[in-house]
Structures are given as C-alpha cells and as structure tokens.
Amino acid sequence: MSSTDAREQADGPTVPEPAAPGGVGEVSGPLVPARGGGHAGGAPVPDVLAQARYRRRGRRWIVVLVVVVLVAGGLAGADAAGVFSGAKPAGSSNAYATGLATVKRGSLTSQTQENATLGSAGAYSVVVPGSSSGSAGSGGSGGSGGSGSGSSGAQTFTSLPSVGKIIRQGQVLYEANETPVVLLYGTVPAYRDLSEGMTGGDVRELNADLVKLGYATAAALGPTTGWNYFSSETAYALGQLQTHLGLTETGSLPLGQAVFLPGAIQVTGLGTGAVLGEPASAGSVVLTGSSQTPVVTIDLDASLQTEVAVGDKVSVTLPDGTSTPGRISQISNVASSSSSSSSSSSNSSSGNGNGNGSGSGSSSATITVLVSLTDPKTAGHLNQAPVEVTITTGSVSNVLIVPVDALLAEPGGQYAVEVTGSGGHHLVTVTPGLFDDAAGMVQVTGNLTPGQHVVVPGI
C-alpha cells in the first residue's frame, strides 16, 4: 500500500453527495465511509474516490451533451427560419416572415381618409309672416294662410303637421283659417305678393317649381333666362296649382300662401304658440324642420386646404361598412382653431352636423368641407352618424408602383426595396413619389422593371 492510500484510509474518504436518481454516472447502492481496514460488515467497500471521479466525468459529459443539444436545436431553428437557405436575403438582420409583391406600372391616385359626420343639409324654421312689405322672418318664409295678406285679420291654426312628418314640394305645411300653406322649393324666402309683370329671384324659383310640379312647361315659359319674369303663362300655371290645393284661383301669389325652402323637410318640432285653435300671430314660429338632403361635414386640417377643390370626387364609408360616392360641394375659406360646432342659421343650406376631425387636436386649425352624396338615398335615415371620407388629392399615370411597406429606410434619408428572383436578393435604391394612403401603394423611380418581385412583410 502506498503512503497516499494509507493517508486516505486513515483520514477516511469524503463521501460526495448522491447524484440525482437516474443521472449520468450514478452509482447503485449507498456510499458509506470506510471503517475497519476498508470493510463494512465483511463486504468490500466501493472505491469512493473512483466513484467520485467517475461522477465528475459524468457531469462533464452532461454539460457537453446539453451544449450539443442546444447548438443542434439552434441550428435546426435557424435553418427552419431560412438563415441558411436562399429564402433569406444577405445582410438581413432578422428572421421574420416575409412575402412578395409584384412591381407594377400603371396609374395611382393619392388619397387621404378623414373622419366626418353625415347629417342633414340644413335646419329651418317656418314662421307666420307679417305684412307683404315686411320680412318673412328668421328661417324659411312662413305663410299665415287665410286671405294671404298676412295683415288682413286674425288667423287661427286649423291644421298642424305631426312631428316626424316629411313634407315635400307642392304639399301642405299647415293651415290657418282652413286655408293651406304650400311648400315650394327655393333659396329666396317669400317676402312679398307676386303677380303678373313682376321680376326677381322669387319669380324665377316660382316658375321653376311650376314646371317641376307639372303645371307649366319649359316651352310655355320660354328660355330660362327669362324665367325671372311673371308672365301670363306663370299666372295660368299658378292658378292650376291653387285649384289643386282647394284655393281660390287668382293667378297671383299673396304672401303667406307659400313657403320657399331649399328642399323637403322633416318636421322636428312645433313652435311654442303653434297650437290648434290658437292665433297664428305674425312672427310666431309654426314649426321647425331639418333638411332631407344629406350632407357630410369634414373638419379638415387647414394644411390640406390646397389639396382639395369643389367638385373633387370622394368615397364615403357609412357606419355599416358600405361605400357611396360623393363630391365636395363647399370649402370654407375661414379656418377655425377648434373643432367645436357652430350653430347654423335657420335658412342656411350648409350642414348642421360637425365632423369628428381629421385626428388633429382641438387647438389645430381646421376648415369645414361639405360633401354631397351622388345618391342621397344611400344615407337612409342616418343623421349625425360618424362616417369616413376618402378624398382623392392627386393622381399620376404610367408610373412604377409598389406597396408602401416594401420601402426600406437607408442612411441619409434614402429608400430602397429588396428585389428577389433567380439571381438572389439585392437592394435597389428608389425615390418615393405619390403615396396612396388608402390603398397602401406608392409611386417609385429607380432601377426597377414591371414584373419584378419585391420583399414585403409577411402575415
């Protein structure tokens, strides 16, 4: 026995902690300190140091195996992600999923999307007029019925419309002294008696209404440039309308027999004094109504004022997701510093709805833009409904087009696209042109040809 072995037996071996069950290098059976010349109960004692050395070697192998497994797993994952395949371009710093888009040549429109409100084109008040020499009062012109003079004696409300009723051209608004007051279309309110030989804007709209209602023909009235004249043909057609309404056929239109408003209205309420059997006092409000013509109101950022013009085509997305075409009908020249609503006048033809803004804060300057729907019926009964308007602000033709998300930012403010094909992947520097925010496409100029494929983010 060597001196080293003697010292080990004298001091007694240090027994290492048992390995976890099932671990590499595990020794079966308990390890106990050597006693009585290296025997325990007459049975040979295992070489504890050898076992310890064996377990240390086992642990080293465990570490090696773990490293090998991790590396192998990492390589497999990298290969699955395309790191070692031709699917990932050189110089790419990530392994995100990508797709391909085709470079196209064609036309592109620049579009912007704005939040807006779909409402009625106006709110109106119908009042009982005073004498024929006075004003018709605030809002649409009102009629007192009866004799039509407005000052020829006390009038009494004998028929009033129900709230919610829609009244159109040629229909009765209300009755005073059992004499109907008819609605006619026009922007000039009634303010005087009309008779043969008179001229003016109110005469022009009367002639237009008589033609629209079928009581006169354009041929009988002559060229439209002369429709501002109250002719004998006008008197005859007006007499036909009076007969239809049960009025005395006079061929003249006294103040109070008709109300001129820009279009059909829906009754939203009755005046405080508008009660059956109560006096129809001059200047009192008979009813209030809202226009049946829908209008979309946009609070557009003032910086975009030069990008839009009256007549521009737009697309309006309704709350149910359907789209309907329209045109810009009015652009305010005055910017507002907030998106707070302003009350519309009772005879204004502008929308009384307010847009939700284009995303700018209340302190940003905005201008009011009104949009008329090409097919007003598509608005249904919507009022003060939030909508989205897509405005076309520019267009180009015969240009190269790629998806916006194909653009890669490069140092120095430049952009590139990643082109792929049989020759592999490479970057091509491009210059962006017109952006179509709605479609997510952009015009580019650079060393590209239609039909090439560019890399875009995958789903």
Side-chain angles (χ1 to χ4, degrees), residues 292-307:
Q292 285 298 285
T293 302
V295 67
V296 176
T297 305
I298 310 170
D299 285 340
L300 186 69
D301 192 293
S303 64
L304 298 176
Q305 184 174 14
T306 58
E307 300 294 326

Side-chain angles (χ1 to χ4, degrees), residues 254-408:
L255 180 65
Q257 199 170 86
V259 173
F260 287 98
L261 293 176
I265 65 168
Q266 182 172 26
V267 179
T268 56
L270 297 178
T272 303
V275 180
L276 291 177
E278 293 296 320
S281 303
S284 63
V285 175
V286 182
L287 59 89
T288 58
S290 62
S291 170
Q292 285 298 285
T293 302
V295 67
V296 176
T297 305
I298 310 170
D299 285 340
L300 186 69
D301 192 293
S303 64
L304 298 176
Q305 184 174 14
T306 58
E307 300 294 326
V308 295
V310 173
D312 283 354
K313 295 181 180 180
V314 303
S315 176
V316 180
T317 302
L318 302 175
D320 62 0
T322 61
S323 295
T324 186
R327 287 182 180 272
I328 294 179
S329 57
Q330 182 178 325
I331 301 174
S332 172
N333 293 323
V334 180
S336 173
S337 60
S338 68
S339 59
S340 60
S341 62
S342 58
S343 59
S344 60
S345 62
S346 57
N347 64 344
S348 170
S349 62
S350 63
N352 63 351
N354 291 286
N356 296 331
S358 57
S360 59
S362 60
S363 60
S364 299
T366 60
I367 57 173
T368 300
V369 176
L370 302 182
V371 172
S372 299
L373 299 182
T374 303
D375 183 7
K377 293 181 180 179
T378 57
H381 298 291
L382 293 174
N383 196 0
Q384 300 304 301
V387 295
E388 187 174 67
V389 180
T390 302
I391 305 174
T392 299
T393 58
S395 63
V396 290
S397 59
N398 195 30
V399 296
L400 294 175
I401 304 169
V402 299
V404 173
D405 53 11
L407 294 179
L408 301 173

